[in-house]
């Protein structure tokens, strides 16, 4: 635990101690509790370099990424190119070189885009989680900061696997807001339902506009938050089920989410389809207008109904 | 490989001891008996007065072969469970390093291995950390200045048991508060697999001016003798079972 953030100038050269590969840093991409990620170039190829503050976490991540490479299906995480040590001023800094995924951090994308997109991303995420769980791991530290929306294609991908844990072991890394233990709603044992809880929290976070701290009665507080958020109304039962750990698999939750999203009113459903396929780009403009109209009409009807009901 | 039991003392304090034996010496003594001493210093603002407390926190952990961490009250929950787990990993790594030195000569440690081999060693460290049995004796400073922080300490301890109980290995905890009513230290929870009973442990605390950290560590070290005896009495393993085993 050195505690200090790495700050290297662009152009800094890194030479691996063991594999002797050379990297030149271009700029800092991100920084977290476990390390700092730089965009770098090696042999004319762009890649992401993660300099580890906590070596154990890096090793864990590398082990998981290696495991994925043996799988035949689509890549779950970024491909791993190299894993080495860098001797810098008498210090040894562990690092790994990974595929550079260009995109927007999900924390930003979720704030900027409509709530419809949040559902789409979550459906995609659940699909990824399903494969991850099938390979014997859970992601554990699931939060928007660890997810990225790939630039062309609007696909969500997990980027930071430092917290990934073998199913059956105990969770090493977590963020309080997305941790079911923090809310008193379950153990920190690595099982699929641990990730699904975090998925529900991502929805709540996106719908209520930010994280909040727990109060004296965390479970009631969560239920109240979900009930208060109008955008979560159609998904209430799914969220409750995920929060209480009653989904056995990511696939089960994904199917529930998809069918609920499709069941909603026609205009917004068409809208979503077009968004996903991203083919009719020129038409999206009038698509937006009609969607807005439909949404505001629906909202007005909803408010009127509520008013009538309460009176 | 035969699994042993890791033994730790976790000291949560906010300042300087002012009574009894030198705490660092007592921590060193605990270490000699195979017990790691970790210290969490709860210091909300750093000023000249705190710097002595800071030094003491570090020197106790160093002497006790453990980890020290200075935190603000609100970060306590994540820190307590993290320090305990990191200390476990450190101890296991220490043992593995010793073995490696036997094989590779004086300079061989896990850090000197090439990344691929290090990855495999860390897998084993992880596996051991997951399955080993753990005894933690928690020592909480309840002197006057800690009083307002105690509810957070209690929450942090509950959070730690939550994290540890997710492991496959068995856990045992006991809780001591110091200063005690008449003695230097009071035991409020004796060795047990969970800490459910601490809910009310912090309520009936009187405030005292003294902070006998040294005697408290000594008392905590002695408590590990009791658990050894209790284990002899309870040959029935089920009494300590708190999770699935494979």
């Amino acid at each position: 635990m050195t505690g200090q953030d790495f700050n290297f100038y662009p152009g800094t050269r890194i030479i691996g101690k063991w594999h002797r590969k050379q990297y030149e840093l271009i700029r800092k991409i991100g920084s977290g509790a476990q390390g700092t990620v730089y965009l770098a170039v090696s042999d004319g190829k762009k890649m992401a370099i993660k300099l580890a503050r906590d070596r154990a976490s890096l090793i864990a991540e590398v082990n998981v990424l290696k495991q994925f490479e043996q799988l035949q299906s689509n890549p779950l995480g970024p491909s791993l190119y190299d894993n080495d040590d860098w001797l810098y001023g008498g210090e040894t800094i562990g690092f790994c070189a990974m595929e550079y995924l260009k995109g927007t951090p999900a924390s930003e994308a979720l704030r900027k885009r409509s709530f419809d997109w949040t559902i789409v991303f979550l459906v995609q995420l659940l699909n990824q989680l399903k494969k991850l769980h099938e390979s014997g791991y859970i992601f554990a530290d699931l939060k928007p900061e660890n997810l990225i929306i790939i630039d062309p294609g609007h696909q969500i991908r997990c980027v930071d696997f430092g917290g990934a844990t073998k199913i059956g072991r105990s969770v090493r890394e977590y963020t309080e807001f997305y941790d079911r233990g923090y809310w008193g709603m379950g153990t920190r044992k690595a099982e699929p339902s641990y990730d699904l809880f975090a998925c529900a929290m991502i929805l709540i976070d996106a719908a209520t506009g930010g994280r909040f701290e727990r109060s004296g009665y965390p479970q009631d507080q969560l239920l109240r938050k979900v009930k208060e958020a109008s955008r979560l109304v159609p998904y209430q039962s799914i969220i409750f089920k995920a929060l209480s750990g009653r989904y056995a698999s990511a696939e089960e939750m994904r199917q529930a989410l998809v069918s609920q999203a499709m069941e909603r009113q026609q205009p917004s459903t068409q809208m979503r389809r077009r968004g996903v396929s991203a083919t009719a780009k020129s038409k999206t403009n009038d698509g937006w207008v009609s969607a807005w109209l439909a949404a505001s009409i629906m909202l007005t009807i909803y408010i009127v109904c509520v008013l009538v009901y309460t009176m | 490989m035969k699994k042993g039991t890791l033994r730790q003392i976790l000291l949560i304090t906010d300042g300087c001891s002012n009574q009894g034996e030198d705490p660092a010496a007592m921590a060193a003594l605990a270490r000699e008996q195979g017990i790691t001493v970790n210290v969490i210093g709860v210091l909300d603002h750093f000023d000249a007065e705190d710097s002595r407390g800071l030094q003491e926190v570090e020197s106790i952990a160093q002497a006790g072969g453990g980890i020290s961490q200075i935190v603000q009250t609100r970060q306590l929950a994540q820190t307590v469970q993290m320090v305990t787990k990191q200390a476990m990993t450190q101890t296991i790594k220490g043992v593995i390093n010793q073995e490696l030195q036997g094989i590779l000569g004086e300079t061989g440690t896990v850090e000197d291995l090439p990344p691929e081999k290090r990855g495999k060693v860390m897998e084993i460290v992880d596996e051991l950390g997951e399955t080993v049995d753990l005894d933690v004796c928690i020592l909480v400073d309840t002197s006057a200045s800690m009083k307002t922080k105690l509810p957070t300490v209690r929450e942090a301890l509950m959070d730690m048991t939550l994290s540890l109980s997710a492991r496959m290995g068995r856990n045992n905890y006991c809780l001591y508060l110091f200063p005690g009513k008449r003695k230097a230290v009071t035991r409020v929870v004796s060795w047990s697999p969970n800490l459910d009973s601490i809910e009310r442990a912090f309520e009936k605390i009187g405030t005292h001016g003294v902070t006998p950290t040294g005697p408290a560590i000594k008392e905590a070290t002695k408590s590990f003798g009791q658990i050894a005896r209790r284990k002899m009495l309870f040959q029935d393993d089920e009494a300590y079972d708190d999770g699935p085993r494979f």
Side-chain angles (χ1 to χ4, degrees):
Chain A
M1 247 185 297
T2 44
Q4 286 296 310
D5 200 2
F6 293 119
N7 258 321
F8 295 112
Y9 290 109
T12 306
R13 273 178 190 282
I14 290 181
I15 300 173
K17 175 185 168 188
W18 302 91
H19 308 141
R20 310 304 309 173
K21 276 204 190 133
Q22 271 200 38
Y23 304 90
E24 191 180 321
L25 301 185
I26 299 175
R27 66 181 160 85
K28 195 188 265 190
I29 304 175
S31 176
Q34 316 301 335
T36 309
V37 184
Y38 281 89
L39 175 64
V41 67
S42 173
D43 294 332
K45 196 173 172 187
K46 275 188 184 171
M47 48 185 75
I49 297 252
K50 186 173 196 173
L51 298 166
R53 195 165 305 130
D54 172 11
R55 228 118 158 256
S57 171
L58 180 81
I59 291 168
E61 178 165 16
V62 166
N63 278 347
V64 174
L65 290 178
K66 270 189 190 157
Q67 196 94 29
F68 292 163
E69 282 186 359
Q70 291 161 8
L71 297 175
Q72 296 298 313
S73 59
N74 285 342
L76 283 173
S79 331
L80 180 72
Y81 299 137
D82 191 13
N83 169 31
D84 212 330
D85 291 334
W86 177 35
L87 299 176
Y88 174 75
E91 231 186 303
T92 309
I93 300 171
F95 72 88
C96 68
M98 297 174 290
E99 178 188 359
Y100 172 54
L101 299 171
K102 195 163 172 274
T104 328
S107 44
E108 203 177 298
L110 288 181
R111 255 186 292 115
K112 279 186 187 158
R113 301 214 194 183
S114 62
F115 189 70
D116 286 336
W117 273 105
T118 307
I119 301 294
V120 174
F121 291 142
L122 209 67
V123 169
Q124 292 177 351
L125 177 63
L126 285 165
N127 200 19
Q128 299 253 334
L129 287 177
K130 172 192 156 211
K131 292 183 206 156
L132 181 65
H133 295 164
E134 278 166 1
S135 73
Y137 284 87
I138 71 157
F139 193 81
D141 196 4
L142 198 58
K143 56 178 172 180
E145 291 91 320
N146 284 342
L147 302 167
I148 195 171
I149 314 294
I150 301 294
D151 243 354
H154 312 288
Q155 269 287 329
I156 201 164
R157 288 277 288 275
C158 304
V159 280
D160 187 344
F161 282 82
T165 310
K166 263 192 194 149
I167 290 177
R169 288 196 181 170
S170 58
V171 171
R172 280 174 292 120
E173 284 173 27
Y174 61 85
T175 306
E176 279 177 349
F177 183 81
Y178 302 96
D179 166 46
R180 66 179 183 190
Y182 173 77
W183 295 100
M185 299 192 75
T187 63
R188 291 210 179 104
K189 199 171 253 309
E191 45 197 19
S193 56
Y194 186 89
D195 275 349
L196 302 183
F197 180 91
C199 285
M201 291 309 287
I202 290 176
L203 260 186
I204 295 174
D205 179 10
T208 56
R211 302 174 196 179
F212 41 89
E213 276 188 21
R214 93 183 142 185
S215 65
Y217 301 94
Q219 303 191 12
D220 295 344
Q221 184 193 2
L222 273 188
L223 298 193
R224 213 179 46 241
K225 279 273 180 191
V226 174
K227 281 182 184 156
E228 276 169 9
S230 58
R231 287 188 288 193
L232 293 181
V233 169
Y235 303 103
Q236 259 182 26
S237 62
I238 297 175
I239 291 173
F240 288 150
K241 210 171 161 187
L243 288 181
S244 52
R246 279 180 288 139
Y247 280 115
S249 70
E251 178 61 15
E252 200 184 312
M253 183 172 168
R254 192 185 76 90
Q255 277 171 7
L257 211 55
V258 169
S259 59
Q260 184 57 47
M262 301 307 278
E263 228 172 66
R264 292 174 65 206
Q265 292 298 306
Q266 277 303 314
S268 58
T269 313
Q270 277 173 1
M271 185 35 224
R272 190 173 304 105
R273 273 186 193 147
R274 202 178 292 162
V276 172
S277 59
T279 45
K281 271 206 175 142
S282 58
K283 283 187 187 168
T284 40
N285 244 355
D286 25 356
W288 272 107
V289 174
S290 62
W292 268 112
L293 265 174
S296 39
I297 291 168
M298 274 162 60
L299 201 68
T300 323
I301 295 171
Y302 176 75
I303 291 168
V304 169
C305 285
V306 168
L307 278 177
V308 168
Y309 181 75
T310 48
M311 283 198 285
Chain B
M1 193 183 281
K2 187 183 162 289
K3 282 187 299 167
T5 302
L6 293 185
R7 301 189 293 175
Q8 292 186 0
I9 290 173
L10 176 68
L11 170 64
I12 301 177
T13 180
D14 74 339
C16 327
S17 62
N18 55 15
Q19 197 186 53
E21 294 96 334
D22 177 358
M26 290 304 109
L29 207 57
R31 187 187 190 179
E32 285 306 310
Q33 296 166 62
I35 300 161
T36 315
V37 184
N38 302 304
V39 192
I40 292 173
V42 197
L43 301 173
D44 274 333
H45 23 251
F46 299 96
D47 48 36
E49 219 168 280
D50 275 345
S51 76
R52 198 167 78 88
L54 204 109
Q55 263 177 17
E56 192 179 276
V57 163
E58 276 167 16
S59 74
I60 296 173
Q62 213 166 34
I67 291 175
S68 68
Q69 181 86 352
I70 306 291
V71 291
Q72 304 208 324
T73 314
R74 61 187 168 78
Q75 304 163 320
L76 201 60
Q78 279 217 325
T79 310
V80 169
Q81 62 93 17
M82 204 178 71
V83 162
T84 310
K85 281 190 135 184
Q86 272 179 355
M88 281 174 67
T89 314
Q90 185 178 298
T91 311
I92 296 167
K93 250 174 144 175
V95 174
I96 289 185
N97 276 339
Q98 267 175 18
E99 298 285 323
L100 277 177
Q101 273 165 20
I103 302 165
L104 304 173
E106 273 303 297
T107 52
T109 68
V110 177
E111 310 302 322
D112 298 327
L113 292 172
E116 297 75 27
K117 292 203 175 119
R118 197 190 304 147
K120 280 186 189 143
V121 173
M122 281 307 292
E123 265 286 283
I124 297 170
V125 172
D126 257 16
E127 179 77 41
L128 282 173
E130 199 61 44
T131 50
V132 78
D133 294 348
L134 177 68
D135 295 344
V136 192
C137 180
I138 304 155
L139 272 179
V140 180
D141 174 353
T142 55
S143 59
S145 51
M146 280 291 285
K147 188 125 200 187
T148 53
K149 299 166 188 169
L150 290 179
T152 321
V153 170
R154 196 197 65 208
E155 264 174 42
L157 292 177
M158 292 311 291
D159 192 81
M160 177 188 76
T161 58
L162 190 69
S163 267
L164 292 177
S165 65
R167 301 180 324 120
M168 295 171 206
R170 284 172 289 174
N171 306 300
N172 266 301
Y173 311 95
C174 75
L175 177 65
Y176 283 79
L177 305 180
F178 69 98
K181 272 223 175 78
R182 281 176 207 87
K183 295 175 289 177
V185 205
T186 336
R187 184 177 66 197
V188 283
V189 180
S190 53
W191 289 107
S192 78
N194 47 54
L195 272 183
D196 295 340
S197 39
I198 72 167
E199 246 353 276
R200 258 178 276 140
F202 288 103
E203 277 174 14
K204 40 191 176 197
I205 295 165
T207 48
H208 299 252
V210 292
T211 312
T213 312
I217 295 176
K218 198 167 135 190
E219 200 58 39
T221 310
K222 278 192 210 157
S223 74
F224 287 93
Q226 296 163 2
I227 195 174
R229 250 174 286 141
R230 276 193 55 174
K231 271 188 179 156
M232 301 263 288
L233 286 173
F234 289 97
Q235 283 299 334
D236 179 14
D237 260 356
E238 296 305 310
Y240 287 95
D241 211 355
D242 58 10
R245 278 177 296 149
F246 302 96

